[in-house]
Amino acid sequence: MEELAKQLGITTVYATATYAFFHWLDESASDEAKAALARTMSLKDYKSQQVASALVEIFDRIYTYPLLRWRAFMRSLLFTLTVTAIFTFEARNTPGIEGLQRGTIAKTYLVAITINILSDYISLFAIRRWLARPIRESAALGPD
């Protein structure tokens, strides 16, 4: 029972953080973006350009635009370190980890975190380009 209470405590923290994040997105997204996403969620007909615009807007709210700025890098760094901290916290008692020396773990984590920070930031450029693809395709075809 004590273990269940401990797990529910951790789960509540994760659920609260997730709720807070999406509440912030809801507050900061434009009415047009919210409407486009709502239409998509209700499985009605939608224009891919409108949904793409909404997704790009939300992406830009999270990471800022343009991406080649310190602010975007720092936001990416924050997300990477948060997920890494959660993973580390959850994996702390994993069999096999306990037997490793602290120095080995520290060096491994330093290398892994550095690689994750860089790859996560670089991937933002590809993700934003992919999200904006329907917008570019629609612009190339001209008005409907």
Side-chain angles (χ1 to χ4, degrees), residues 13 24 38 64 70 72 87 92 126 138 144:
V13 170
W24 173 77
T64 72
W70 280 110
F87 173 79
R92 70 191 182 285
S138 176
D144 290 334

Side-chain angles (χ1 to χ4, degrees), residues 5-44:
K6 199 184 306 181
Q7 288 299 325
L8 286 176
I10 298 300
T11 304
T12 303
V13 170
Y14 294 154
T16 302
T18 303
Y19 176 80
F21 175 70
F22 282 101
H23 178 72
W24 173 77
L25 279 178
D26 185 47
E27 292 294 318
S28 64
S30 69
D31 290 337
E32 294 83 17
K34 290 179 197 177
L37 290 173
R39 282 191 301 274
T40 302
M41 297 298 179
S42 64
L43 300 176
K44 293 182 180 177

Side-chain angles (χ1 to χ4, degrees), residues 62-63 72-88 109-124 127:
I62 294 170
Y63 293 105
F73 177 78
M74 294 308 287
R75 286 192 177 188
S76 175
L77 174 74
L78 176 68
F79 284 116
T80 301
L81 292 179
T82 300
V83 171
T84 302
I86 292 169
F87 173 79
T88 303
Y109 263 66
L110 182 61
V111 170
I113 289 171
T114 302
I115 291 170
N116 279 345
I117 289 169
L118 294 174
S119 65
D120 288 353
Y121 177 64
I122 291 168
S123 70
L124 294 180
I127 292 167

